[in-house]
């Protein structure tokens, strides 16, 4: 993991490499949000056991508007709290450039404009949205210094942009505005009270509304039934293959059997196959190792009746 300046970090990100960078909250593990492979590599570097959706970081509200649909509430909140530690979950715009994998296949996308000047300079220099979860391994504490990042991810990512210790140290507030009732998904430095003054009463996960991160997320589930561990298509089915043996598949997640490539293609390929002329999607077995664990987790959710609410 190399130290990098803003220009070098931006160049690496544009080439699809992973670069950790500071924000006012915590260090993020950044990758080009429009590049499926870079996004898949983020999940690998973090050892994430599932595809939790990632926040798209942009330098200003205008860049955010290009990705998601703002309503009046979002406009007011953006004016009030951006740049700053508030993440808004909004409906993806048609033609949104962000990788489906970054959004975990959801119809919504989380967007944020960080306040730290070095972060905004980096985002401007990249010129593309940057997907960035906190730069820790899954299940560990979020890093608030470049040294923490090195301890967590050294050897796994290309570079770190060192901006010293972060000031807030707590991840951004996450507010879901994709439905009428605003839902506070994660408390943070922008408080529920501050938000409530602008958007009215907030719900929280557990209030009978299943829009919380992780397990109960409303993940995109294909409308067609999925059949797992298939070795061929039955009549009417599309076949989503994996590896060199599946030469006859309708689409192949990775003809050479590369799990990162498979992760990168997963959501886009499921969408492609999800409709006529097919009546179902047969999916080949994916090895339960590395990123395969997350891929299988996602596929299993796609078959269960519990589609995340
Ligand atoms: O302060 C922060 O937000 C830091 C810095 C790097 O910006 N980032 C961060 O990312 O904490 P992460 O991936 O560790 O947390 C993002 C949270 C997760 O709980 C995720 O489930 C939720 O946001 N999230 C992201 N996209 C979502 C979506 N479309 N719908 C619901 N929740 C979403
Ligand atoms: Mg995190």
């Amino acid at each position: 993991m190399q130290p990098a300046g803003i220009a070098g970090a931006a160049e690496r990100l544009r080439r699809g490499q992973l670069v950790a960078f500071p924000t006012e909250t915590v260090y993020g593990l950044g990758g080009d949000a429009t590049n499926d492979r870079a996004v898949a590599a983020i999940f690998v570097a973090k050892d994430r056991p599932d595809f939790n959706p990632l926040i798209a970081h942009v330098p200003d509200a205008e860049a955010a508007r290009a990705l998601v649909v703002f309503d009046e509430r979002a406009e007011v909140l953006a004016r009030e709290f951006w740049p700053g530690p508030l993440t808004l979950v909004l409906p993806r715009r048609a033609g949104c450039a962000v990788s489906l994998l970054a959004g975990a296949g959801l119809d919504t996308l989380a967007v944020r404009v960080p306040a730290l000047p070095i972060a905004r300079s980096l985002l401007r220099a990249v010129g593309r949205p940057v997907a960035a979860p906190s730069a820790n391994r899954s299940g560990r504490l979020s890093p608030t210094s470049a040294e923490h990042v090195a301890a967590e991810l050294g050897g796994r990512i290309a570079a770190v942009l060192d901006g010293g210790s972060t000031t807030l140290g707590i991840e951004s507030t996450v507010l879901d505005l994709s439905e009428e009732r605003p839902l506070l998904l994660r408390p943070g430095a922008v408080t529920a009270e501050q938000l409530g003054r602008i958007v009215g009463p907030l719900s929280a996960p557990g209030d009978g509304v299943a829009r919380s991160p992780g397990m109960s997320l409303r993940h995109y589930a294909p409308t067609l039934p999925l059949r797992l561990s298939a070795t061929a298509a039955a009549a009417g089915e599309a076949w989503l293959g994996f590896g060199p043996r599946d030469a006859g598949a309708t689409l192949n997640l990775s003809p050479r059997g590369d799990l990162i490539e498979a992760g990168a293609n997963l959501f886009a390929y499921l969408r492609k196959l999800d409709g006529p002329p097919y009546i179902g999607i047969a999916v080949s077995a994916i090895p339960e190792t590395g990123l395969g664990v997350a891929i299988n987790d996602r596929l299993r959710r796609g078959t269960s009746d519990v589609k995340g609410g």
Side-chain angles (χ1 to χ4, degrees), residues 3 6 46 48 90 109 129 132 157 163 176 181 198 204 228 283:
I6 289 173
K46 274 189 75 90
R48 267 212 166 153
L90 292 164
L109 182 69
I157 61 176
D176 183 346
R181 177 98 174 190
I198 295 174
L228 305 186
V283 189

Side-chain angles (χ1 to χ4, degrees), residues 62-271:
E62 195 188 332
R65 281 190 209 97
L67 306 176
V68 290
V69 181
F70 272 54
D71 60 13
E72 188 51 35
R73 303 171 299 179
E75 290 293 353
V76 177
L77 290 173
R79 230 175 291 135
E80 189 82 9
F81 296 109
W82 280 359
L86 175 65
T87 295
L88 296 177
V89 174
L90 292 164
R92 277 176 83 104
R93 212 174 251 301
C96 172
V98 169
S99 141
L100 281 172
L101 181 63
L106 298 167
D107 294 326
T108 57
L109 182 69
V111 289
R112 155 160 147 75
V113 178
L116 195 72
I118 190 175
R120 293 182 81 198
S121 303
L122 174 67
L123 294 170
R124 274 204 201 87
V126 176
R128 297 178 199 155
V130 172
S134 48
N136 50 282
R137 292 200 214 168
S138 187
R140 307 233 219 149
L141 290 180
S142 295
T144 54
S145 70
E147 290 73 37
H148 294 171
V149 175
E152 289 288 324
L153 300 171
R156 296 182 174 212
I157 61 176
V160 62
L161 176 62
D162 190 345
S165 287
T166 62
T167 45
L168 290 176
I170 292 175
E171 300 88 342
S172 62
T173 305
V174 181
L175 183 70
D176 183 346
L177 290 177
S178 66
E179 289 181 11
E180 197 154 312
R181 177 98 174 190
L183 183 63
L184 185 65
L185 291 177
R186 183 172 72 185
V190 175
T191 66
E193 200 192 346
Q194 286 176 301
L195 295 171
R197 257 182 249 134
I198 295 174
V199 297
L202 309 178
S203 300
D207 292 356
V209 200
R211 271 190 287 171
S212 56
M215 288 187 35
S216 54
L217 258 178
R218 294 170 311 152
H219 275 286
Y220 172 78
T223 52
L224 293 182
L226 286 183
R227 187 167 63 82
L228 305 186
S229 299
T231 49
E237 278 182 338
W239 179 15
L240 184 56
F242 174 79
R245 267 196 288 179
D246 292 348
T250 320
L251 289 174
N252 194 319
L253 287 169
S254 172
R256 59 197 161 89
D258 172 18
L259 287 167
I260 297 188
E261 184 178 35
N265 290 330
L266 180 67
F267 291 106
Y269 283 11
L270 281 175
R271 286 202 184 222

